[in-house]
Amino acid sequence: MSVLFVTGTGTEIGKTVTTAAIAAAALAEGRSVAVLKPAQTGVAADEMGDAAEVARLAGAVTTAELARYPDPLAPATAAQRAGRPPVHPHEIADAAAKLAASHDLVLVEGAGGLLVRFDADGNTLADAARLAKAPVLVVAQAGLGTLNTTALTALALRAYGLHCPGVVIGNWPAAPDLASRCNLADLPAAAEAPLLGLIPEGSGALPPSAFRTAARQWLAPELWGAGPLRLPS
């Protein structure tokens, strides 16, 4: 697994912090890591983007960004409004392949959900992952409603012929409600893939040193975690 795409069941659910945790865990295992953000939206030219945030939290990763658009919108719409060229799937796949030639692991973080449009032709992160022949990790919410969005994302992945190695809950609450606790068992069935991580809420606010120390405890060995994933009782 030299290239791993990271998508979400929606926006603002913890994709960037999850990507940082995986990067930190892989670095701790001695892997060289690159992080590719194909389209960064909603961030000005002089502001920190998601790839830079991953580097801040995880440590010595190579970062790459193919395009940046100021409006916080889907990449295709943001590119159009900015009057700038969109990012096409072959550009994402080519950039990932170039990074993979010199790194053990390349993490490609999408924008929003799997089927958010990147260009006027309707191409999505799924199209890029298919060109790259890479698996796609799903980051999901913890609570009510996540089973449906996770199942729909997994269904779309299968329709594209893409492999999903598992699901990570990107923002596990400190005081989980009944739905969140039940979803620990139900999410693998919805995704038809194992639960590979629980990232505690607020993890992105930790000092980087504490984040890097804790990251491997949040992830299963398939994502370079320290041991079997410990689920809350």
Side-chain angles (χ1 to χ4, degrees), residues 50-129:
D50 291 342
E53 176 66 3
V54 171
R56 183 187 73 83
L57 289 170
V61 301
T62 300
T63 61
E65 190 180 278
L66 300 185
R68 177 175 288 213
Y69 311 113
D71 290 327
L73 302 168
T77 306
Q80 183 181 37
R81 284 182 55 84
R84 299 175 188 172
V87 179
H88 299 291
H90 69 87
E91 295 174 306
I92 301 171
D94 289 348
K98 289 177 182 177
L99 289 168
S102 56
H103 295 82
D104 298 320
L105 174 65
V106 180
L107 298 169
V108 183
E109 185 191 342
L114 178 68
L115 299 184
V116 169
R117 293 186 170 206
F118 273 76
D119 60 25
D121 295 325
N123 288 304
T124 69
L125 191 73
D127 295 288

Side-chain angles (χ1 to χ4, degrees), residues 5 14 78 86 91 104 108 147 164 196 231:
F5 280 61
E91 295 174 306
D104 298 320
V108 183
L147 298 180
C164 175
L196 295 182
L231 298 180

Side-chain angles (χ1 to χ4, degrees), residues 142-231:
L144 197 64
T146 196
L147 298 180
N148 181 61
T149 55
T150 300
L152 288 170
T153 301
L155 180 63
L157 287 171
R158 292 193 293 274
Y160 276 86
L162 295 168
H163 171 59
C164 175
V167 178
V168 172
I169 295 176
N171 197 14
W172 180 253
D177 59 13
L178 177 61
S180 297
R181 297 196 302 273
C182 290
N183 286 341
L184 292 174
D186 294 341
L187 269 171
E192 297 187 19
L195 185 63
L196 295 182
L198 285 85
I199 312 300
E201 65 179 356
S203 297
L206 290 172
S209 59
F211 182 93
R212 296 165 196 173
T213 298
R216 294 185 67 209
Q217 307 303 319
W218 304 332
L219 301 168
E222 292 89 337
L223 296 177
W224 299 276
L229 184 64
R230 295 193 289 268
L231 298 180

Side-chain angles (χ1 to χ4, degrees), residues 1-6 22 105-108 134-137 165 223-224:
M1 189 166 60
S2 60
V3 178
L4 176 65
F5 280 61
V6 181
I22 297 169
L105 174 65
V106 180
L107 298 169
V108 183
V136 181
L137 182 76
L223 296 177
W224 299 276

